[in-house]
Amino acid sequence: MGLFDRFKRSPAEEPGENTQAAQNAWPAVILEIAAIISNGDEAVLQEVAACTSDPAGYFAAHQERYEERSVYDANDREEIQWLGLVDILEPHVYVCELDWKDAKEEFLYFLEHLKGMKRLGLELQEDWFSEKDDISIWSRILDEKWKPQQCCLACIDINSDSYVLFPCGLAEAEQLKTLAAQLGRCIVGPVEG
């Protein structure tokens, strides 16, 4: 099993052809995803609404961040909104973005400070994890540990070698998967199989 197998898309989740109806659905769906992940945080929702209502303007105002992510086209409305969602949630401490090779210390440090950890009453114990493992294995461990609380560690797929992680309830994870699939995108959690 490879490093990223935990977050691979199933064939049904592969992005499909974009129709006008799908493009028109983006703002509402992105807002709904943001509301679930942020537990309705008004500051987050206002920023996401600004991003989805004027993606080109949002791109221009945050061009440096998009260029760090190798997005150079202000006309790529969907990518601007999807990455904008992540870039809004992260500073508000609802998600953390970790490189695939980050060590256990970074994994634990950034996860334990996420607002969802406290809201959901979840814990992390350093002795659950081995230094020699990686994020995909640590994520499986958390899914198993959090299962009694009906929670999991979810990931927003941004088509990169990083993980955008956040804790959520199992029911929320299912909602998020469905919403992301409506956009031809992927949110994964919990580990299956």
Side-chain angles (χ1 to χ4, degrees), residues 119-138:
R119 178 177 66 84
L120 296 167
L122 300 171
E123 68 174 307
L124 290 172
Q125 292 183 19
E126 188 174 342
D127 61 355
W128 292 348
F129 310 97
S130 169
E131 282 285 346
K132 65 181 180 184
D133 290 331
D134 58 46
I135 290 176
S136 62
I137 293 171
W138 300 327

Side-chain angles (χ1 to χ4, degrees), residues 6 13 140 143 174 177 188-193:
R6 185 246 197 278
E13 295 170 319
R140 288 180 187 278
D143 285 347
E174 288 306 313
K177 284 182 196 179
V188 180
V191 177
E192 291 141 8

Side-chain angles (χ1 to χ4, degrees), residues 54-117:
D54 181 14
Y58 192 85
F59 174 86
H62 301 89
Q63 189 167 352
E64 186 175 308
R65 181 66 176 139
Y66 282 103
E67 288 177 356
E68 289 172 6
R69 293 184 179 280
S70 300
V71 177
Y72 304 100
D73 186 356
N75 294 316
D76 193 349
R77 299 173 57 87
E78 293 174 0
E79 195 69 8
I80 290 167
Q81 292 175 73
W82 192 247
L83 294 174
L85 171 69
V86 171
D87 289 342
I88 292 165
L89 290 167
E90 188 172 25
H92 287 277
V93 201
Y94 290 105
V95 302
C96 61
E97 185 173 353
L98 300 172
D99 190 87
W100 68 271
K101 62 183 183 275
D102 278 342
K104 179 176 93 168
E105 289 73 29
E106 285 89 10
F107 178 78
L108 294 173
Y109 175 81
F110 287 106
L111 276 182
E112 72 185 353
H113 289 93
L114 293 179
K115 291 178 180 176
M117 294 291 295

